[in-house]
Each structure stands twice: as C-alpha cells, then as structure tokens.
Amino acid sequence: DGGITQSPKYLFRKEGQNVTLSCEQNLNHDAMYWYRQDPGQGLRLIYYSQIVNDFQKGDIAEGYSVSREKKESFPLTVTSAQKNPTAFYLCASSYKGGNYGYTFGSGTRLTVV
Amino acid sequence: DQQVKQNSPSLSVQEGRISILNCDYTNSMFDYFLWYKKYPAEGPTFLISISSIKDKNEDGRFTVFLNKSAKHLSLHIVPSQPGDSAVYFCAASIVNSGNTPLVFGKGTRLSVIA
C-alpha cells in the first residue's frame, strides 16, 4: 500500500543537540511539506519542496533545515538554534497543483529534555 | 495576518444532532477549499473539498457549503457521532498558483457528547 511514513514516533533530545526526523513516501508525489503543530497554533509550515534538490522556507523556518535528494524522502533537521523545539511534527506530500490535497504522515512527537 | 480563520476553537454537540464548523478567508484568490480531520497524536486525514465553481458538496454525513461573496465556508455533519470528535482544519488554495502550499486555519475541536 502506498503511504507516507514518519519516524520515529517519539523522539527525545537534549538541549544543544541536532536531531533529524525522517519522512518517506511511496505515493510518487512531487511535493513534500513539513508542519509543526502546537496547542492553539494550528498547523504552521516549516519548509516545503516541490521538486528534488529544491526547497523553500515556510512561515517558521528558523532553526530548521531540510534536504530533498530523492523524490521519496524529505528529512527535517531540528538544530540547536531552534529555541522551542518541543512540538508535534507532521510531514505531508501531494501532487503538484493547488487542487490536490495532502497526504499526511502520522507525526513525530519531539521533546527536549 | 491569518488568511484562513476558524474563529471557534471548540464546539460541543449532542450525538445525533448537527455539527456546524465555520471557516472564513480573506484572500479572494482562493478557489479550492478542503477540510481535514485530526485525532490526537495522528496526522490529519482528508475529509471533503469544494471548488469555487460550486456552492455545495456532499459526501455521506458531511456537507461543505461555500459562500464566495461572504468568503465563508462551513462543514455540516449530520447526524453527529462520538467518533466525529476530533480537531477539524479548514484549508484553502489557489489552483493555478504555481504550487504554493495550502493555507490552514488553526482548527476547531469538535466534541460529540453521547
């Protein structure tokens, strides 16, 4: 079955460490996205990529980095520069075009300890 | 500057009654709208969508209404069931935008009381 997989489900990070969240899709979607969800804040866009080897900053990109070396993969690195990284992170993918909805992964809960 | 607004953070409805979730938008260029449903600790799942050329789209218990002049859409769930308890996100896009991302509202938490 086609789908989008995020791993790990739960991640704990010490302050000052970088961590990488994985996102893989086998839907042959062109575009991939990273969102962050905080209570009362809805879904805020971190980064997105419409094509391999290209990506754009979203609304809250500071302290995060991404790469898109393969169509299927869009890992997100939360760097030590992100001041408040504890959140629920969601990856999504879609075909190109504004009338295609997104398929979301099941999310990664990151906690800074 | 929120382009998509869900002004009710939460809503409680009795089982069997109608749930009405509202969404307003400010960008008149938006021409495609979607609703997503999200359970805790899970990713959102697509529920229903509507193009701006329509004013209503129905799928089983779920109906979305679009009022372009008011820049308002609503999701009706009839009858409401306990399993509908979730956070609902409204999203908007511009179909020929050159692939700009969906714009999401902040969500409305629906509680269906048995």
Side-chain angles (χ1 to χ4, degrees), chain A residues 13-32:
Chain A
R13 188 194 94 174
K14 291 183 179 179
E15 285 195 28
Q17 284 184 336
N18 293 353
V19 288
T20 298
L21 283 59
S22 171
C23 180
E24 304 275 336
Q25 54 97 2
N26 60 2
L27 299 164
N28 200 32
H29 284 169
D30 305 294
M32 297 186 75

Side-chain angles (χ1 to χ4, degrees), chain A residues 28-62:
Chain A
N28 200 32
H29 284 169
D30 305 294
M32 297 186 75
Y33 313 84
W34 275 105
Y35 286 88
R36 167 178 172 148
Q37 186 188 16
D38 297 282
Q41 295 290 326
L43 303 176
R44 293 187 291 170
L45 182 64
I46 304 172
Y47 268 98
Y48 64 104
S49 168
Q50 304 287 358
I51 194 169
V52 174
N53 292 323
D54 190 37
F55 47 82
Q56 288 77 40
K57 291 182 179 180
D59 301 318
I60 55 165
E62 185 175 350

Side-chain angles (χ1 to χ4, degrees), chain A residues 100-104, chain B residues 6 19-21 32-39 43-50 57-64 73-78 81 83-91 102 104 108 110:
Chain A
Y100 290 105
Y102 295 173
T103 300
F104 282 88
Chain B
Q6 294 178 257
S19 295
I20 301 176
L21 292 88
Y32 194 73
F33 304 89
L34 308 93
W35 285 93
Y36 283 83
K37 176 180 179 179
K38 184 184 181 301
Y39 293 119
T45 55
F46 170 75
L47 196 56
I48 194 169
S49 63
I50 189 168
N57 189 25
E58 197 171 348
D59 184 1
R61 295 186 298 115
F62 303 92
T63 303
V64 56
L73 63 155
S74 60
L75 174 68
H76 292 213
I77 306 173
V78 183
Q81 300 174 353
D84 296 329
S85 297
V87 177
Y88 290 79
F89 290 100
C90 172
L102 292 178
F104 285 89
T108 295
L110 174 65

